[in-house]
Amino acid sequence: MLRRQPERSGVLTALRRAEPATMRPVRHRRLAGTTNQEEALMTRSRDSRLERLTAVVPPSIAAKVLQREDASGGSRPPFKRHAAPDSSMTKNSERPPSSTTERAPDEVRAFADWFETQPDARNRFRWVLRDSLDQVLDGGRTGRWHYLHLSKNEKSHLGSMIEANLTKSFSIEDGEILDWRVAGRELDCKFSKEVGGWEIPMEMYTCLDHGRQSGQDDHPALLVWMNDDENQWAAGLLRITDDRLRWRSDRETGAPVRGYNRDYKRRLGKEAIAEVHWLWGGMQTDLPENILLHLAPADRSVILSEASGQKRMNALFRTVRGRIVNRATVLTVGQQDDSPKRARDSRKHLCGEGVIVLGHQDSDPVVAAILELDIPSKGTWISARLTEVGRHDLRPRVLIDGRYWAVAEESDPPVEVPLVPTALARQDHLDGWQ
């Protein structure tokens, strides 16, 4: 005779009552930074887990499993969404000059020559800035995609991150007094999101009024600036002196006095900014793109409003086509431990819509080159919507599964495309064969 199974709700209730307090962190102690809605989602997720477990094992075993999961950190917190800031990263309108051709002055020429003669230096420098900001944003854990999402302490940490990553990228030696030793001389690294906003400590320059706190010499500095909202960045060199830093008028006497902040640091005077020698000709406009920042608000909302990591990833590659998507963007959109796998799985999910997702492996870079798309490197992806065309179509086309495919135009209807094979067939239709 079959024993009547207890009602499922009764099993869950009994199991909840039997749980030790340490098994109920969600219901009895709100996780830091979670809202009531997020806490409710986490509670429902755990109840669903309970129900699935008690369908196959007795409550005592289910309790052990859940207790172990809670001890190891439990489930990942809910997906974090952040509103678009109502202002930009850089507040003032001052920018470094563009296309300067002046020779570096003697006091910083050795440093300018060193940086500008390093292999692929300009490209490495701009990627250090991109990666440093992405590291501080930590979108894979926090969901943040804009500088203004950072706290005050995190913003101040960005300069240290840039210095550390430049040190690693260029294999720069540590200095004895300042940050670095470059071309046999001491050099300090300073970052600011505002031109002229670099904070200079007293040990960087000589001043009789500073006594023991005065620097031993007027030291040079590498002054770094970027504006993520406009893909702009620059790096310049200047020897710091007392008269090149900011002065102000005394409130009572009107006499000029040094313009210290609370930490007894000073910024460059307006006249001194014109004396900065800018590397690589001045302001650069190719800071690697922050995809989520530069999306239209409606497109960004469509991507980030999806409920699951896979659906958000599909929406990302469906929406952002023909542009390189870097790892930081994938991590921010996914907010999962396996976000890159979600990007790879988007290939299967989107092929029915005519969208291919190309990475850096197998034949993917070759397909990107044939279709005249940007070629993804390791940790990057690019998507495109394809349409079937004839062998003699004038558009760049690739042969896959015996059919020719080209990047679709807006008027082309969606069609299912095959997955890109690991190895392509010989592309006899291409020019250049011997």
Side-chain angles (χ1 to χ4, degrees), residues 180-212:
W180 296 332
R181 187 169 182 82
V182 174
R185 296 171 56 190
E186 299 278 322
L187 178 67
D188 216 43
C189 179
K190 298 295 179 187
F191 168 78
S192 174
K193 67 183 183 67
E194 309 289 351
V195 173
W198 303 282
E199 303 283 354
I200 307 299
M202 290 190 288
E203 60 266 24
M204 282 287 296
Y205 58 98
T206 57
C207 176
L208 294 177
D209 293 341
H210 289 167
R212 293 182 178 180

Short mmCIF file of all heavy atoms in Angstrom, two decimals, residues 180-212:
data_model
loop_
_atom_site.label_atom_id
_atom_site.label_comp_id
_atom_site.label_asym_id
_atom_site.label_seq_id
_atom_site.Cartn_x
_atom_site.Cartn_y
_atom_site.Cartn_z
N TRP A 180 58.41 56.69 -9.76
CA TRP A 180 59.16 55.95 -10.77
C TRP A 180 60.58 56.47 -10.93
O TRP A 180 60.91 57.59 -10.53
CB TRP A 180 58.47 56.08 -12.14
CG TRP A 180 57.12 55.51 -12.26
CD1 TRP A 180 56.59 54.46 -11.56
CD2 TRP A 180 56.09 55.94 -13.16
NE1 TRP A 180 55.31 54.21 -11.99
CE2 TRP A 180 54.97 55.11 -12.96
CE3 TRP A 180 56.02 56.95 -14.12
CZ2 TRP A 180 53.80 55.25 -13.68
CZ3 TRP A 180 54.85 57.10 -14.85
CH2 TRP A 180 53.74 56.25 -14.62
N ARG A 181 61.36 55.61 -11.59
CA ARG A 181 62.66 56.01 -12.10
C ARG A 181 62.66 55.69 -13.60
O ARG A 181 62.64 54.53 -14.00
CB ARG A 181 63.80 55.27 -11.39
CG ARG A 181 65.18 55.79 -11.77
CD ARG A 181 66.26 55.21 -10.86
NE ARG A 181 67.57 55.74 -11.20
CZ ARG A 181 68.04 56.91 -10.80
NH1 ARG A 181 67.29 57.70 -10.05
NH2 ARG A 181 69.25 57.32 -11.14
N VAL A 182 62.63 56.75 -14.42
CA VAL A 182 62.53 56.63 -15.87
C VAL A 182 63.72 57.34 -16.50
O VAL A 182 64.03 58.48 -16.14
CB VAL A 182 61.21 57.24 -16.38
CG1 VAL A 182 61.18 57.25 -17.90
CG2 VAL A 182 60.02 56.48 -15.82
N ALA A 183 64.38 56.68 -17.44
CA ALA A 183 65.54 57.26 -18.12
C ALA A 183 66.57 57.75 -17.12
O ALA A 183 67.23 58.77 -17.32
CB ALA A 183 65.09 58.41 -19.04
N GLY A 184 66.71 57.01 -16.02
CA GLY A 184 67.72 57.33 -15.03
C GLY A 184 67.36 58.46 -14.08
O GLY A 184 68.18 58.86 -13.26
N ARG A 185 66.12 58.97 -14.15
CA ARG A 185 65.71 60.09 -13.29
C ARG A 185 64.37 59.80 -12.63
O ARG A 185 63.56 59.01 -13.12
CB ARG A 185 65.61 61.37 -14.13
CG ARG A 185 66.94 61.82 -14.73
CD ARG A 185 66.72 62.96 -15.71
NE ARG A 185 66.03 64.09 -15.09
CZ ARG A 185 65.55 65.13 -15.76
NH1 ARG A 185 65.68 65.17 -17.09
NH2 ARG A 185 64.94 66.11 -15.13
N GLU A 186 64.13 60.50 -11.50
CA GLU A 186 62.89 60.34 -10.75
C GLU A 186 61.72 61.02 -11.48
O GLU A 186 61.89 62.10 -12.07
CB GLU A 186 63.03 60.95 -9.34
CG GLU A 186 64.11 60.30 -8.49
CD GLU A 186 63.63 59.01 -7.81
OE1 GLU A 186 62.47 58.96 -7.38
OE2 GLU A 186 64.43 58.06 -7.74
N LEU A 187 60.55 60.36 -11.44
CA LEU A 187 59.36 60.91 -12.10
C LEU A 187 58.14 60.48 -11.30
O LEU A 187 58.03 59.33 -10.87
CB LEU A 187 59.26 60.38 -13.54
CG LEU A 187 58.03 60.82 -14.35
CD1 LEU A 187 58.10 62.32 -14.64
CD2 LEU A 187 57.94 60.02 -15.66
N ASP A 188 57.21 61.42 -11.10
CA ASP A 188 55.98 61.11 -10.40
C ASP A 188 54.82 61.02 -11.39
O ASP A 188 54.85 61.64 -12.46
CB ASP A 188 55.66 62.19 -9.36
CG ASP A 188 55.03 61.61 -8.10
OD1 ASP A 188 55.52 60.56 -7.64
OD2 ASP A 188 54.07 62.20 -7.57
N CYS A 189 53.79 60.24 -11.04
CA CYS A 189 52.62 60.06 -11.90
C CYS A 189 51.39 60.62 -11.19
O CYS A 189 51.10 60.25 -10.04
CB CYS A 189 52.41 58.57 -12.21
SG CYS A 189 50.96 58.23 -13.24
N LYS A 190 50.68 61.52 -11.86
CA LYS A 190 49.48 62.14 -11.29
C LYS A 190 48.33 62.01 -12.28
O LYS A 190 48.51 62.21 -13.48
CB LYS A 190 49.72 63.63 -10.99
CG LYS A 190 50.82 63.89 -9.96
CD LYS A 190 50.44 63.33 -8.60
CE LYS A 190 51.53 63.56 -7.57
NZ LYS A 190 51.23 62.88 -6.29
N PHE A 191 47.13 61.70 -11.75
CA PHE A 191 45.93 61.61 -12.59
C PHE A 191 44.88 62.58 -12.10
O PHE A 191 44.72 62.79 -10.89
CB PHE A 191 45.35 60.20 -12.57
CG PHE A 191 43.96 60.14 -13.17
CD1 PHE A 191 43.80 60.15 -14.55
CD2 PHE A 191 42.83 60.12 -12.36
CE1 PHE A 191 42.53 60.14 -15.11
CE2 PHE A 191 41.56 60.11 -12.91
CZ PHE A 191 41.41 60.11 -14.29
N SER A 192 44.15 63.15 -13.04
CA SER A 192 42.97 63.95 -12.72
C SER A 192 41.98 63.85 -13.88
O SER A 192 42.38 63.77 -15.04
CB SER A 192 43.34 65.41 -12.48
OG SER A 192 42.17 66.19 -12.29
N LYS A 193 40.70 63.88 -13.55
CA LYS A 193 39.68 63.92 -14.59
C LYS A 193 39.45 65.34 -15.09
O LYS A 193 38.68 65.54 -16.04
CB LYS A 193 38.36 63.34 -14.06
CG LYS A 193 37.70 64.16 -12.97
CD LYS A 193 36.46 63.46 -12.46
CE LYS A 193 35.75 64.31 -11.43
NZ LYS A 193 35.19 65.54 -12.01
N GLU A 194 40.08 66.31 -14.46
CA GLU A 194 39.98 67.71 -14.88
C GLU A 194 41.36 68.20 -15.30
O GLU A 194 42.35 67.96 -14.59
CB GLU A 194 39.45 68.60 -13.75
CG GLU A 194 38.18 68.10 -13.08
CD GLU A 194 36.95 68.23 -13.96
OE1 GLU A 194 37.05 68.85 -15.03
OE2 GLU A 194 35.88 67.69 -13.58
N VAL A 195 41.45 68.89 -16.43
CA VAL A 195 42.72 69.49 -16.83
C VAL A 195 43.07 70.58 -15.80
O VAL A 195 42.27 71.48 -15.55
CB VAL A 195 42.61 70.10 -18.24
CG1 VAL A 195 43.88 70.88 -18.58
CG2 VAL A 195 42.36 69.01 -19.27
N GLY A 196 44.24 70.46 -15.21
CA GLY A 196 44.64 71.39 -14.16
C GLY A 196 44.29 70.92 -12.76
O GLY A 196 44.63 71.59 -11.78
N GLY A 197 43.61 69.78 -12.65
CA GLY A 197 43.17 69.32 -11.34
C GLY A 197 44.15 68.42 -10.60
O GLY A 197 43.82 67.89 -9.54
N TRP A 198 45.34 68.23 -11.13
CA TRP A 198 46.32 67.36 -10.48
C TRP A 198 46.74 67.93 -9.13
O TRP A 198 47.09 69.10 -9.01
CB TRP A 198 47.54 67.20 -11.39
CG TRP A 198 47.17 66.66 -12.73
CD1 TRP A 198 46.89 65.36 -13.06
CD2 TRP A 198 47.04 67.41 -13.95
NE1 TRP A 198 46.58 65.26 -14.38
CE2 TRP A 198 46.66 66.51 -14.97
CE3 TRP A 198 47.20 68.77 -14.27
CZ2 TRP A 198 46.45 66.90 -16.28
CZ3 TRP A 198 46.97 69.16 -15.58
CH2 TRP A 198 46.60 68.23 -16.57
N GLU A 199 46.72 67.10 -8.09
CA GLU A 199 47.06 67.53 -6.73
C GLU A 199 48.55 67.28 -6.48
O GLU A 199 49.01 66.15 -6.51
CB GLU A 199 46.22 66.75 -5.72
CG GLU A 199 44.71 66.88 -5.91
CD GLU A 199 44.19 68.22 -5.41
OE1 GLU A 199 44.98 68.99 -4.82
OE2 GLU A 199 42.99 68.48 -5.61
N ILE A 200 49.28 68.36 -6.22
CA ILE A 200 50.74 68.28 -6.09
C ILE A 200 51.14 68.45 -4.62
O ILE A 200 50.87 69.48 -4.01
CB ILE A 200 51.41 69.38 -6.94
CG1 ILE A 200 50.91 69.33 -8.39
CG2 ILE A 200 52.93 69.23 -6.86
CD1 ILE A 200 51.19 68.05 -9.12
N PRO A 201 51.80 67.43 -4.02
CA PRO A 201 52.24 67.54 -2.62
C PRO A 201 53.50 68.40 -2.49
O PRO A 201 54.20 68.66 -3.46
CB PRO A 201 52.51 66.09 -2.24
CG PRO A 201 52.92 65.44 -3.52
CD PRO A 201 52.12 66.12 -4.60
N MET A 202 53.79 68.83 -1.26
CA MET A 202 54.90 69.75 -1.01
C MET A 202 56.25 69.11 -1.34
O MET A 202 57.19 69.82 -1.71
CB MET A 202 54.88 70.23 0.44
CG MET A 202 53.74 71.18 0.75
SD MET A 202 53.87 71.98 2.36
CE MET A 202 53.51 70.60 3.44
N GLU A 203 56.37 67.79 -1.22
CA GLU A 203 57.66 67.16 -1.48
C GLU A 203 58.03 67.13 -2.96
O GLU A 203 59.13 66.71 -3.31
CB GLU A 203 57.69 65.74 -0.91
CG GLU A 203 56.66 64.80 -1.47
CD GLU A 203 55.39 64.74 -0.62
OE1 GLU A 203 55.12 65.72 0.12
OE2 GLU A 203 54.69 63.71 -0.70
N MET A 204 57.12 67.59 -3.83
CA MET A 204 57.39 67.60 -5.26
C MET A 204 58.19 68.82 -5.71
O MET A 204 58.69 68.86 -6.84
CB MET A 204 56.07 67.56 -6.04
CG MET A 204 55.42 66.19 -6.12
SD MET A 204 56.29 65.08 -7.24
CE MET A 204 56.05 65.90 -8.80
N TYR A 205 58.31 69.85 -4.88
CA TYR A 205 58.98 71.08 -5.30
C TYR A 205 59.67 71.74 -4.11
O TYR A 205 59.36 71.47 -2.95
CB TYR A 205 57.98 72.05 -5.94
CG TYR A 205 56.82 72.43 -5.02
CD1 TYR A 205 56.84 73.62 -4.31
CD2 TYR A 205 55.72 71.61 -4.88
CE1 TYR A 205 55.80 73.98 -3.46
CE2 TYR A 205 54.66 71.95 -4.05
CZ TYR A 205 54.70 73.14 -3.34
OH TYR A 205 53.67 73.48 -2.51
N THR A 206 60.63 72.59 -4.42
CA THR A 206 61.39 73.27 -3.36
C THR A 206 60.68 74.56 -2.95
O THR A 206 60.11 75.27 -3.78
CB THR A 206 62.80 73.62 -3.85
OG1 THR A 206 62.71 74.43 -5.03
CG2 THR A 206 63.59 72.36 -4.16
N CYS A 207 60.71 74.84 -1.65
CA CYS A 207 60.11 76.06 -1.11
C CYS A 207 60.72 76.32 0.27
O CYS A 207 60.60 75.48 1.17
CB CYS A 207 58.60 75.92 -1.01
SG CYS A 207 57.79 77.33 -0.24
N LEU A 208 61.36 77.47 0.45
CA LEU A 208 61.99 77.79 1.72
C LEU A 208 60.98 77.85 2.85
O LEU A 208 61.28 77.50 4.00
CB LEU A 208 62.75 79.11 1.61
CG LEU A 208 63.96 79.12 0.66
CD1 LEU A 208 64.57 80.51 0.59
CD2 LEU A 208 65.00 78.10 1.11
N ASP A 209 59.76 78.28 2.55
CA ASP A 209 58.74 78.41 3.59
C ASP A 209 58.26 77.07 4.11
O ASP A 209 57.62 77.00 5.17
CB ASP A 209 57.54 79.20 3.05
CG ASP A 209 57.89 80.65 2.76
OD1 ASP A 209 58.92 81.13 3.29
OD2 ASP A 209 57.15 81.30 2.01
N HIS A 210 58.52 76.00 3.39
CA HIS A 210 58.05 74.68 3.82
C HIS A 210 59.01 74.01 4.80
O HIS A 210 58.65 73.00 5.41
CB HIS A 210 57.88 73.75 2.61
CG HIS A 210 56.72 74.13 1.75
ND1 HIS A 210 56.53 73.60 0.49
CD2 HIS A 210 55.69 74.98 1.95
CE1 HIS A 210 55.43 74.10 -0.05
NE2 HIS A 210 54.91 74.95 0.83
N GLY A 211 60.22 74.54 4.93
CA GLY A 211 61.18 73.96 5.87
C GLY A 211 61.50 72.52 5.53
O GLY A 211 61.82 72.17 4.39
N ARG A 212 61.37 71.63 6.52
CA ARG A 212 61.70 70.21 6.32
C ARG A 212 60.76 69.50 5.36
O ARG A 212 61.09 68.45 4.81
CB ARG A 212 61.70 69.49 7.66
CG ARG A 212 62.80 69.94 8.62
CD ARG A 212 62.75 69.14 9.90
NE ARG A 212 63.82 69.53 10.83
CZ ARG A 212 64.00 68.97 12.04
NH1 ARG A 212 63.16 68.02 12.44
NH2 ARG A 212 64.98 69.39 12.81
#
